[in-house]
């Protein structure tokens, strides 16, 4: 049996789980959807075309890579598509987020795809290095306003 996994960074651990649960399953590793550029289109298409099942994270109808949108996959694969919702819990580190361009390609930095909102804000405000260090290390009313209810906000979405 061959399974194509479509989604964000969650496809790697999901692939590991599936390999443990289904010994012998063919599970080619595709790039995460935010890493799919035209250079990968033929690889993704070949994997999808030969898959017995497609397991995909929900991808919106406006996503820039049409072939991985849930509505496109559902029309193409019908009952052979299993969709799971995004399981990202942003409250583990609410001040870190992904920054991407208009094509959903992530900017990569020292923390890979994640960036400190507080450091970005400090840069945009023109804070010195010392003031930035204080801003990110000392609790403030900003932290309470911005991140104080992050668990409730995350669970609502």
């Amino acid at each position: 049996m061959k399974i194509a996994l479509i989604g964000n960074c969650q496809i790697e651990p999901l692939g590991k789980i599936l390999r443990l649960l289904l010994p012998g399953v063919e599970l080619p590793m595709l790039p995460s959807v935010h890493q799919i550029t035209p250079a990968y289109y033929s690889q993704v298409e070949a994997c999808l075309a030969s898959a017995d099942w497609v397991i995909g994270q929900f991808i919106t109808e406006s996503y820039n890579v049409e072939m991985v949108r849930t509505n496109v996959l559902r029309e193409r694969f019908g009952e052979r598509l299993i969709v799971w919702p995004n399981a990202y819990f942003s409250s583990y580190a609410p001040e870190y987020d992904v920054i991407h361009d208009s094509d959903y390609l992530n900017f990569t930095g020292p923390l890979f795809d994640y960036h400190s909102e507080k450091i970005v804000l400090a840069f945009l405000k023109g804070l010195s290095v010392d003031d930035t260090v204080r801003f990110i290390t000392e609790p403030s009313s900003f932290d309470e306003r911005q991140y104080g209810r992050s668990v409730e906000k995350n669970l609502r979405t």
Side-chain angles (χ1 to χ4, degrees):
M1 172 175 37
K2 183 174 182 180
I3 298 174
L5 286 177
I6 300 294
N8 64 17
C9 56
Q10 296 171 18
I11 62 174
E12 185 177 345
L14 180 58
K16 289 177 182 179
I17 292 168
L18 288 173
R19 283 186 183 91
L20 289 171
L21 293 173
L22 303 168
V25 68
E26 189 177 343
L27 197 65
M29 284 312 294
L30 293 172
S32 298
V33 291
H34 62 274
Q35 296 172 321
I36 296 175
T37 62
Y40 288 107
Y41 288 0
S42 61
Q43 176 191 356
V44 173
E45 176 52 40
C47 182
L48 289 171
S50 64
D52 299 304
W53 290 91
V54 176
I55 300 178
Q57 183 172 27
F58 179 79
I59 308 289
T60 66
E61 293 181 19
S62 63
Y63 194 69
N64 66 317
V65 181
E66 185 176 351
M67 73 172 72
V68 299
R69 296 175 186 168
T70 299
N71 65 320
V72 171
L73 294 172
R74 186 170 284 125
E75 185 174 308
R76 183 172 175 186
F77 296 99
E79 292 182 3
R80 294 188 302 136
L81 172 67
I82 299 170
V83 179
W84 88 91
N86 187 338
Y88 179 70
F89 185 67
S90 63
S91 296
Y92 287 128
E95 70 276 16
Y96 291 93
D97 208 346
V98 175
I99 300 174
H100 58 79
D101 64 15
S102 60
D103 291 326
Y104 292 95
L105 297 174
N106 292 354
F107 293 107
T108 302
L111 301 175
F112 300 101
D113 289 343
Y114 292 91
H115 304 275
S116 165
E117 291 176 350
K118 291 177 80 173
I119 291 175
V120 171
L121 181 60
F123 172 79
L124 292 174
K125 289 177 125 328
L127 297 183
S128 69
V129 171
D130 289 339
D131 287 342
T132 299
V133 168
R134 273 190 294 284
F135 181 54
I136 64 175
T137 59
E138 296 174 5
S140 67
S141 61
F142 174 85
D143 294 306
E144 182 57 34
R145 281 192 320 274
Q146 190 70 12
Y147 311 118
R149 301 190 55 84
S150 64
V151 172
E152 291 87 354
K153 288 177 187 175
N154 191 94
L155 294 175
R156 265 199 314 262
T157 59

